Amino acid sequence: DRGEQVEAAALREVKEETNLDVELEGLIGLYSQEGNPHVLAAYAATVPDSQLRSLLAQPEEVSEVAFFSLEELPELAFSIDKQIFQDWRQQR
């Protein structure tokens, strides 16, 4: 949201879409695409053990949500997602 701190927005978006309270670990990167007015800030985050059972898709936000291992990721929704995962893996 306009005027919102970026880190606070990341935490809020995760909560709105998954019902999880996560802990941000750091910025993965900023991403933009020609012809697209949006800029995406991608953060690495951890889910505290106490939150693992709280995962719940919020129907007004997403149709389904689940945990996946890195080896079993489903097809990603947006073309930029592959780049974000590559960058995250390089930072680990």
Side-chain angles (χ1 to χ4, degrees):
D1 293 335
R2 181 173 278 178
E4 185 176 19
Q5 181 188 26
V6 177
E7 295 84 355
L11 294 172
R12 177 184 52 74
E13 286 290 335
V14 170
K15 180 68 173 183
E16 286 178 3
E17 296 181 11
T18 67
N19 195 46
L20 295 174
D21 294 307
V22 299
E23 298 170 358
L24 297 183
E25 294 180 340
L27 181 68
I28 297 171
L30 294 174
Y31 301 88
S32 62
Q33 296 174 309
E34 185 147 351
N36 184 337
H38 297 99
V39 175
L40 177 65
Y43 283 88
T46 56
V47 179
D49 289 343
S50 63
Q51 288 287 303
L52 288 175
R53 294 183 181 204
S54 298
L55 183 66
L56 179 65
Q58 304 302 302
E60 62 280 354
E61 297 287 334
V62 296
S63 59
E64 61 183 313
V65 64
F67 288 112
F68 296 93
S69 70
L70 288 175
E71 296 77 29
E72 297 177 339
L73 287 175
E75 186 175 329
L76 302 173
F78 304 103
S79 59
I80 198 71
D81 292 342
K82 289 180 184 180
Q83 183 63 53
I84 294 169
F85 271 102
Q86 286 176 358
D87 293 347
W88 175 72
R89 285 182 175 131
Q90 288 178 348
Q91 292 176 14
R92 288 182 62 193

